[in-house]
Amino acid sequence: MAEVKVLEGKDLTRIERIGAHSHIRGLGLDDALEARKNSQGMVGQRSARKAAGVILQMIKDGKIAGRAVLLAGQPGTGKTAIAMGMAKALGEEAPFAMMAGSEIFSLEMSKTEALTQAFRKAIGVRIKEETEIIEGEVVEVSIDKPASSGAASKTGKLTLKTTEMETVYDLGSKMIENLNKEKIQSGDIVTIDKASGKITKLGRSFARSRDYDAMGPQAKFVQCPGGELQKRKEVVHVVSLHEIDVINSRSQGFLALFAGDTGEIRPEVREQIDGKVAEWREEGKADIVPGVLFIDEVHMLDIECFSFLNRALEQDMAPILVVATNRGITRIRGTNYKSPHGIPIDLLDRLLIITTQPYSEEEIRQILDIRCEEEDVEMTDEARDLLTKIGHETSLRYAIHLITAASLASLKRKAREVDIEDISRVYSMFVDVKRSTQFLMEYQEQFMFNEIAEPDQDDSLMIQ
């Protein structure tokens, strides 16, 4: 069997922006899995959050696999927020893949391939390997530079010590370059990976703490290591099965991860990788980390996709599937049959269903307070009362959208706080769904392709 390559690590810089759910920090549960009234950005939906917390605990304990959870509720009742809270509570190590139901209808790959890739993104492999490292305090670094530029490459010597021994190492040009890059000098505590030659600076030795009159605030002092210089260290990193698939299926390897052009991956590659991962598990080199796959707007999937999900959930290495929908009894896409939530009955039978309820006026007020703080907007109490009333009578999402718009209106009149007049101004500028629908009903004759039925016809326009 050919050797399976693994991506060693991920070092990505996250760009944080204020988004619809950027205020979510977790599910807001205590140690007994009871939902707090207002915690970690979550407000209300206490029974739904508690149910999600129970599912989360089972995932962490590894007692649940190949299960599916349905978050069902009206639009704007916090279904996606609960899924985001689950992702935050799981932590960085457990994979969490998110997708919308309409994403799989791509011309580049088949629907089943898109779902397979999504499933494998949500399954992590925790790989453990032992590496030999050299760890000690730098006593001296001497680099011999050639007399002329065309002469042989640089050579040098590195003297390292622990509390018990001291050794001199010969340096090649690559190691000298790494030392210069890390700005290593005598008195530093360093670790050197023997396999890759990577040098990591841990800090300065305590013995050198009085060498300088002034030290920078970033100066970190470390105890000189004891024992031998050469040690064996266990390194653990977590990668998803999809990342391993991409690395081994393409000639450019991990570059395909950044290009995004992964294309369809052959089943033979996946079988080979699954076999290798099974070997690693038997040898104790790797563990499977079942993550979570969240599919929003699941009613957009068709009957073929639902059949695939039924089969995929029965596999050994299946993640926890969390799906969300805001539909009632509606037609299953790809058929003429109707079903609750637009999902076939046989798949619904496999789902643990969590329902969300509409927010009360007090909960809307608390959510708007959190969003004002997240968007850094100062608002008077009267303006918040008015915005809460608007959110209760129209929709929570509409009220949240007015926050930043009202803030810009208050800046225009050079005010420090958003007042009632700013809310009223943006309320008249931006209409909600009900007012927009009323406008269309009044002026329907002036619009093109109007399809509103006449009162004497059987069909009527459904307005919620």
Side-chain angles (χ1 to χ4, degrees):
M1 185 181 290
E3 184 182 352
V4 175
K5 294 174 280 186
V6 177
L7 183 65
E8 285 198 358
K10 293 178 278 188
D11 186 14
L12 303 176
T13 303
R14 294 181 181 271
I15 302 172
E16 294 293 341
R17 296 182 66 204
I18 297 173
H21 300 101
S22 57
H23 62 283
I24 304 294
R25 308 280 184 268
L27 284 172
L29 305 174
D30 58 19
D31 294 336
L33 297 181
E34 291 291 334
R36 300 188 187 96
K37 193 174 182 181
N38 182 349
S39 177
Q40 294 182 321
M42 298 293 284
V43 176
Q45 307 295 353
R46 296 175 80 166
S47 61
R49 282 157 53 203
K50 184 176 179 181
V54 172
I55 297 291
L56 204 66
Q57 192 61 45
M58 288 193 286
I59 295 169
K60 287 180 178 177
D61 293 345
K63 294 179 180 177
I64 180 170
R67 302 288 181 85
V69 180
L70 170 64
L71 297 171
Q74 301 168 24
T77 52
K79 298 181 293 295
T80 310
I82 289 173
M84 292 295 293
M86 290 176 72
K88 297 283 185 183
L90 268 176
E92 292 292 328
E93 190 175 285
F96 190 95
M98 293 187 70
M99 66 180 295
S102 55
E103 278 183 40
I104 65 158
F105 298 99
S106 167
L107 296 174
E108 296 176 1
M109 63 178 77
S110 65
K111 293 177 284 189
T112 53
E113 174 65 21
L115 281 171
T116 303
Q117 290 193 12
F119 261 72
R120 290 176 78 87
K121 280 177 188 173
I123 303 168
V125 183
R126 188 190 292 114
I127 299 167
K128 295 173 276 190
E129 58 181 9
E130 282 194 346
T131 58
E132 284 197 2
I133 61 165
I134 300 169
E135 186 176 56
E137 179 185 336
V138 178
V139 179
E140 184 185 2
V141 182
S142 60
I143 298 170
D144 301 327
K145 294 183 180 179
S148 59
S149 57
S153 58
K154 295 178 185 177
T155 57
K157 293 185 183 297
L158 173 67
T159 309
L160 291 177
K161 72 166 186 177
T162 63
T163 53
E164 297 175 14
M165 62 183 294
E166 184 174 316
T167 309
V168 180
Y169 295 94
D170 292 325
L171 300 175
S173 56
K174 184 183 175 183
M175 287 298 295
I176 291 170
E177 189 181 325
N178 289 347
L179 285 168
N180 291 333
K181 188 178 176 182
E182 295 292 331
K183 298 182 174 63
I184 302 297
Q185 56 186 343
S186 64
D188 289 341
I189 307 293
V190 297
T191 61
I192 304 171
D193 189 335
K194 286 188 74 176
S196 63
K198 183 182 177 184
I199 300 173
T200 307
K201 185 177 177 179
L202 302 178
R204 297 282 298 168
S205 172
F206 275 115
R208 302 294 185 105
S209 60
R210 298 183 181 275
D211 283 8
Y212 307 97
D213 295 333
M215 295 297 292
Q218 268 72 36
K220 179 184 174 185
F221 292 102
V222 185
Q223 194 70 39
C224 180
E228 293 191 2
L229 278 162
Q230 293 194 32
K231 299 170 185 173
R232 295 186 70 83
K233 184 180 179 184
E234 189 178 74
V235 180
V236 178
H237 41 255
V238 179
V239 292
S240 71
L241 280 177
H242 176 66
E243 288 169 339
I244 303 176
D245 291 346
V246 173
I247 294 163
N248 289 276
S249 67
R250 296 259 164 172
S251 56
Q252 68 263 41
F254 71 93
L255 293 176
L257 287 171
F258 301 102
D261 181 25
T262 57
E264 294 211 11
I265 296 167
R266 297 192 313 278
E268 299 81 30
V269 174
R270 290 203 174 107
E271 286 174 15
Q272 180 185 334
I273 288 164
D274 290 346
K276 197 68 180 175
V277 170
E279 276 183 35
W280 289 343
R281 288 175 70 185
E282 288 176 10
E283 294 169 7
K285 291 181 180 177
D287 296 321
I288 295 295
V289 184
V292 175
L293 172 60
F294 175 61
I295 304 178
D296 209 353
E297 309 293 338
V298 73
H299 54 264
M300 292 301 295
L301 301 182
D302 60 13
I303 190 69
E304 296 170 19
C305 298
F306 289 128
S307 300
F308 175 85
L309 290 179
N310 262 327
R311 177 72 185 87
L313 286 171
E314 293 176 351
Q315 293 177 356
D316 293 338
M317 293 193 293
I320 310 305
L321 179 65
V322 179
V323 297
T325 181
N326 54 21
R327 298 296 166 95
I329 297 173
T330 185
R331 189 172 64 85
I332 302 167
R333 189 168 179 176
T335 71
N336 293 320
Y337 298 101
K338 289 188 176 182
S339 176
H341 312 296
I343 300 171
I345 297 294
D346 58 341
L347 182 58
L348 270 177
D349 195 35
R350 293 175 183 266
L351 302 175
L352 293 169
I353 302 175
I354 299 173
T355 57
T356 55
Q357 306 298 326
Y359 289 108
S360 67
E361 198 164 341
E362 182 190 349
E363 289 169 348
I364 289 173
R365 170 66 184 252
Q366 292 176 355
I367 293 169
L368 292 173
D369 287 346
I370 291 170
R371 290 303 304 177
C372 285
E373 186 180 342
E374 181 74 12
E375 297 178 27
D376 200 18
V377 173
E378 295 289 335
M379 193 177 289
T380 61
D381 290 339
E382 294 81 7
R384 291 189 192 217
D385 292 339
L386 177 59
L387 198 61
T388 303
K389 186 179 178 184
I390 290 170
H392 187 62
E393 292 178 356
T394 58
S395 72
L396 174 61
R397 285 173 177 160
Y398 175 69
I400 288 172
H401 289 154
L402 293 184
I403 293 173
T404 302
S407 175
L408 294 172
S410 69
L411 288 174
K412 194 74 176 173
R413 62 182 184 86
K414 296 181 172 59
R416 292 186 177 181
E417 289 183 321
V418 174
D419 213 337
I420 290 179
E421 60 182 284
D422 302 310
I423 301 290
S424 303
R425 186 179 176 189
V426 294
Y427 180 75
S428 61
M429 290 168 67
F430 306 103
V431 297
D432 58 279
V433 176
K434 287 183 181 177
R435 283 185 290 161
S436 178
T437 307
Q438 186 180 358
F439 178 81
L440 289 175
M441 296 283 285
E442 290 177 7
Y443 298 97
Q444 57 177 302
E445 299 298 333
Q446 299 177 25
F447 284 86
M448 292 181 65
F449 309 117
N450 175 51
E451 294 185 2
I452 295 183
E454 296 297 327
D456 57 342
Q457 294 182 4
D458 292 336
D459 297 325
S460 59
L461 179 68
M462 300 294 289
I463 303 173
Q464 292 184 347

